[in-house]
Amino acid sequence: MPTNPLSRRGFLLGVAATATAIGVSGCGLGGSSDNPDDSSGPVTGDITGEIKFQTWALKPKYTDYINGMITAFQKQHNGVKITWIDQPADGYLQKVTADAAAGNLPDVVNVPPDLAYPLAKKKLLLNIDQAAPGTGKDYLDASWAAYALPGQSGSYGYPWYLNTGPTFYNKALFRQVGLDAEHPPTNYAELEAAALVMAQRSNKQVAMLGLTPVIADFGLYGCQVMNADGTKFTFNEPKGVEFVEMYKRLYDAGALIPEALTANYTGAGTKFMNQQIAWAPGSAYDLANFKTNAPSLYANVGITKTITNTGKAVMYVQGLSVSAASKNKATALAFAHFVTNAQNQMAFAKLTAIFPSTKGSMSDPYFSNDGGTDEGKVRVAAAKQLETAVNYTPVQWSDQMTTALQQQLADAMQGKTSPKQALDDTVAKCNKLLAG
């Protein structure tokens, strides 16, 4: 149950595990590559028959919760049989891609927006706005929009749960170099200044940062990642270049670890837990993870808001999509809606550190009363952020694009190319992939 599919951005452990999202454009998916047909109209028919429901790394921790929902739905609808399939986090998205290519998508499948996009583009998912008109009114507008296909009408997934994160920092490491541990940086200029102090005063033994930026970070910095109609990437604009230039200064000073330049680097979370780096974007789940697996860090961990030039934090979305090839579409749609209704999402939120996507749910006192605990404080802070949070990662963004950005940023950090040229080359590559 990854709370953030972009594991290089949210590199700490998710609810069950963290996986790296893949882009599936050009990966041999079946179906038409034309625009989806939005004229199919509402799905009608009895809620009956058998369907398969696939989730992502929920067993064994949430077995009782999922089985309880299945049992409740089957009691409401005689003749329905739901087979639950839970896939491990490792290789999950590759498995979905392979099933899609073979025409074997489960009736209801857990996919993040960036995977729903190429599936929907190939007409492999139902347009929920067409198949079940009016459903979108039940969900927060930003979460419903996350499953939209740019340039087309409709949405291709029921938002299931949301997450965002505070930023964690290590108070002990701040104090060691004379930084104010009770007043962490609140903007990028302050973060750069603190990072440079930490690197200099520790003789480059302690770095502030453990990762180069991913595309969502450019959005947080205030870059226009794409043009208005979603047809071209534009993050090589001056603000994007300014952002990379800042990272270059940090890298040169030893404030960004050299390992961060390695493609698909996944060790930054471990370095933060081992108190070797001092600043870590995370999720509401992570504090409990620190408490259990890194108690010495937990005793020194500070919690602060996400730094953003837009005033809006990152929203991470997971959802349920319905296969266009399902033989029991009415049942699949009804079950996906049931799993993601306000009551079931609220119950899930109280089992683990996720947040409901349904309208009105965030007004529950659970999200405003911290109970005097650190975990409660993180929950309340994250819930507040979600009121205006944005999914900065375009659904068109693919794994190939991530790789291109990582490679060019590494070259820019090492002085092999300029920040401007690195972004120009990345945008050119990404726009070529987008057009292809």
Side-chain angles (χ1 to χ4, degrees):
M1 180 188 174
T3 57
N4 174 9
L6 292 171
S7 60
R8 294 192 81 249
R9 174 65 173 84
F11 55 78
L12 304 176
L13 291 177
V15 173
T18 302
T20 303
I22 59 168
V24 294
S25 300
C27 290
L29 291 175
S32 170
S33 60
D34 298 328
N35 291 329
D37 182 3
D38 290 340
S39 63
S40 55
V43 168
T44 58
D46 295 333
I47 299 175
T48 188
E50 299 184 12
I51 62 169
K52 292 181 179 179
F53 169 46
Q54 181 168 291
T55 57
W56 183 356
L58 294 186
K59 287 184 178 179
K61 191 170 184 179
Y62 305 102
T63 296
D64 290 345
Y65 170 75
I66 297 294
N67 281 336
M69 283 195 300
I70 291 172
T71 298
F73 187 81
Q74 290 177 159
K75 284 182 177 178
Q76 290 179 16
H77 303 283
N78 291 331
V80 169
K81 180 181 178 182
I82 298 168
T83 300
W84 176 29
I85 305 163
D86 187 66
Q87 300 287 356
D90 187 29
Y92 178 77
L93 300 183
Q94 291 91 333
K95 176 71 167 62
V96 173
T97 303
D99 286 345
N104 293 324
L105 272 182
D107 301 86
V108 178
V109 58
N110 177 196
V111 288
D114 58 334
L115 181 55
Y117 168 73
L119 296 176
K121 197 174 181 183
K122 292 289 186 178
K123 299 186 178 180
L124 299 176
L125 302 178
L126 285 183
N127 181 336
I128 310 300
D129 280 318
Q130 295 294 324
T135 303
K137 72 182 188 305
D138 297 337
Y139 303 87
L140 297 171
D141 293 343
S143 65
W144 190 253
Y147 283 88
L149 195 64
Q152 302 296 317
S153 61
S155 189
Y156 292 81
Y158 292 88
W160 189 3
Y161 55 87
L162 311 177
N163 220 320
T164 188
T167 296
F168 298 104
Y169 67 100
N170 190 311
K171 290 184 176 183
L173 295 180
F174 269 55
R175 292 190 190 102
Q176 283 178 19
V177 295
L179 293 171
D180 188 343
E182 302 308 318
H183 297 90
T186 60
N187 57 51
Y188 287 100
E190 291 177 0
L191 178 62
E192 180 179 3
L196 293 175
V197 166
M198 181 168 287
Q200 180 183 23
R201 293 182 181 174
S202 70
N203 196 27
K204 298 186 179 182
Q205 295 305 299
V206 180
M208 184 72 81
L209 302 177
L211 294 170
T212 54
V214 294
I215 197 64
D217 295 303
F218 284 84
L220 282 168
Y221 195 74
C223 299
Q224 184 177 349
V225 174
M226 298 194 79
N227 60 8
D229 59 4
T231 58
K232 288 185 181 299
F233 289 100
T234 58
F235 55 90
N236 59 333
E237 65 177 12
K239 204 161 189 67
V241 176
E242 175 185 290
F243 189 41
V244 177
E245 287 173 342
M246 181 188 76
Y247 266 83
K248 168 64 171 166
R249 292 192 296 271
L250 293 173
Y251 180 78
D252 288 345
L256 170 68
I257 60 173
E259 296 94 321
L261 307 191
T262 305
N264 300 316
Y265 175 64
T266 59
T270 300
K271 282 188 176 292
F272 183 74
M273 293 180 71
N274 290 341
Q275 304 192 69
Q276 296 171 304
I277 59 174
W279 191 264
S283 77
Y285 172 79
D286 294 310
L287 199 62
N289 180 44
F290 300 155
K291 191 173 185 178
T292 301
N293 297 312
S296 60
L297 168 65
Y298 181 77
N300 293 304
V301 74
I303 304 164
T304 189
K305 294 179 180 179
T306 298
I307 291 179
T308 169
N309 284 338
T310 67
K312 298 178 180 181
V314 177
M315 174 188 286
Y316 303 114
V317 187
Q318 283 288 340
L320 300 178
S321 292
V322 175
S323 170
S326 173
K327 292 182 171 58
N328 289 302
K329 292 182 177 66
T331 303
L333 287 163
F335 181 67
H337 194 197
F338 176 78
V339 170
T340 60
N341 69 24
Q343 179 181 347
N344 284 325
Q345 288 206 46
M346 194 67 211
F348 204 12
K350 290 184 177 181
L351 286 177
T352 188
I354 53 90
F355 300 88
S357 65
T358 42
K359 287 181 178 175
S361 295
M362 298 297 282
S363 62
D364 190 285
Y366 181 72
F367 298 113
S368 57
N369 184 354
D370 62 30
T373 67
D374 289 339
E375 290 85 352
K377 291 175 184 176
V378 173
R379 180 179 68 245
V380 170
K384 184 69 175 174
Q385 280 191 173
L386 277 172
E387 292 178 4
T388 58
V390 173
N391 180 16
Y392 287 106
T393 303
V395 293
Q396 302 97 316
W397 190 255
S398 70
D399 188 57
Q400 290 169 292
M401 296 173 187
T402 295
T403 299
L405 178 60
Q406 290 172 359
Q407 291 173 341
Q408 289 296 330
L409 287 177
D411 285 349
M413 297 303 104
Q414 294 172 324
K416 296 178 182 178
T417 188
S418 70
K420 177 69 165 65
Q421 191 62 53
L423 289 188
D424 285 345
D425 291 347
T426 305
V427 166
K429 173 70 171 178
C430 291
N431 283 332
K432 184 176 180 180
L433 290 167
L434 186 65

